[in-house]
Amino acid sequence: MNELVIMKDKQAVTSSLQVAETFSKQHKHVLESIDKLAAENPATKSMFATGAYENRGKQYPMYYMNRDGFTLLAMGFTGDKALQFKLQYIDAFNEMEQQVKFQVPSTLPEALRLAADQAEKISVLQPKADYTDKMLANPGLETTSVIAKNYGYSTREFNKLLHGLGIQYKQGKTWLLYAKYQNLGYTHVEPFPYKDSKGLEQVRNTMKWTQKGQRFLYNFLESKGIMPKVEQTA
């Protein structure tokens, strides 16, 4: 098997071909899944890049994807073997990204590019501060739908993202945190009254995020390269 994760344009990526091989799927089905992700949420397009490979003298389409693109794509892969391969991919991404992190520029253009990147990072510190200050200024509970909107996701997409990242799971109609995060004061579950399709009054539990939980989400998603819209714009 080829390396799970490779370097392309100084970014750790994997390919749709490699994913198909690793998870024993037909490549065309992997391509269809990626196209569907891009169609459902335009924000995912930055996670995938088109490419091509040659087979018997003919060119065929493929995709390259970064860590976030792989995470979204692999959400639907289930089973013990799938989990094992996901963990292998996570380790491979971590190892490759560490190599990138400690690379020293070897030429003047690379050094200038690094300096420009650092200046760009400094320029986004103010929007980041504005976002976190606003978040910390609100001592109340926040719904997942509001947080999802801040990140440019629908509530459904954001819940699936958090599930895929191992933060929460669904019990009945309620999302709950996995055990490792459950007793850390990140969320509060409270009853939510509503009317069903027959007009009858019903009650179901809903999970809201505390200020501490919002800070956890921000830091966790930032570590995965997922930023609020205000920082994406910056």
Side-chain angles (χ1 to χ4, degrees), residues 6-216:
I6 61 172
M7 285 301 303
K8 183 174 176 61
D9 298 329
K10 295 185 179 181
Q11 187 177 18
V13 299
T14 189
S15 70
S16 53
L17 277 175
Q18 185 63 65
V19 170
E21 179 184 346
T22 303
F23 290 90
S24 300
K25 295 182 178 294
Q26 292 188 37
H27 186 231
K28 66 176 183 179
H29 293 158
V30 175
L31 294 180
E32 289 169 358
S33 296
I34 295 173
D35 289 336
K36 185 178 179 181
L37 283 173
E40 290 177 347
N41 188 349
T44 63
K45 290 183 179 179
S46 62
M47 303 175 188
F48 301 94
T50 56
Y53 70 97
E54 186 174 319
N55 185 22
R56 297 180 181 178
K58 292 186 178 180
Q59 294 286 319
Y60 295 93
M62 61 177 285
Y63 280 106
Y64 292 102
M65 68 198 81
N66 61 16
R67 177 196 286 267
D68 296 333
F70 170 76
T71 300
L72 287 173
L73 177 64
M75 280 182 185
F77 299 167
T78 58
D80 293 338
K81 286 188 177 180
L83 176 59
Q84 178 185 348
F85 290 139
K86 288 179 190 179
L87 294 174
Q88 289 178 8
Y89 262 102
I90 291 172
D91 289 341
F93 269 110
N94 287 338
E95 182 179 348
M96 189 64 71
E97 287 168 358
Q98 281 297 107
Q99 292 179 21
V100 177
K101 187 176 180 180
F102 293 106
Q103 276 185 343
V104 178
S106 58
T107 65
L108 178 59
E110 287 181 359
L112 292 174
R113 179 66 258 174
L114 178 62
D117 289 344
Q118 293 301 317
E120 185 178 349
K121 288 179 181 178
I122 292 173
S123 71
V124 303
L125 288 179
Q126 186 59 46
K128 176 179 178 179
D130 290 344
Y131 179 81
T132 53
D133 288 346
K134 182 179 179 181
M135 177 178 66
L136 293 174
N138 179 14
L141 301 171
E142 195 68 271
T143 62
T144 300
S145 60
V146 170
I147 298 174
K149 186 177 180 180
N150 289 337
Y151 280 84
Y153 288 86
S154 69
T155 305
R156 181 173 177 271
E157 291 168 341
F158 197 66
N159 277 324
K160 287 180 67 176
L161 174 66
L162 298 186
H163 175 63
L165 293 172
I167 294 176
Q168 64 180 24
Y169 67 97
K170 199 169 188 179
Q171 186 176 75
K173 294 185 177 181
T174 305
W175 287 99
L176 299 171
L177 297 186
Y178 280 111
K180 64 186 294 185
Y181 303 119
Q182 209 168 58
N183 298 315
L184 299 177
Y186 291 158
T187 60
H188 173 73
V189 178
E190 59 185 37
F192 173 74
Y194 70 100
K195 289 186 178 181
D196 62 19
S197 58
K198 297 179 180 179
L200 299 176
E201 295 286 344
Q202 302 286 349
V203 176
R204 70 165 178 262
N205 289 328
T206 184
M207 185 177 74
K208 293 185 177 181
W209 295 87
T210 64
Q211 187 184 80
K212 183 179 180 182
Q214 293 173 65
R215 165 67 76 173
F216 157 73

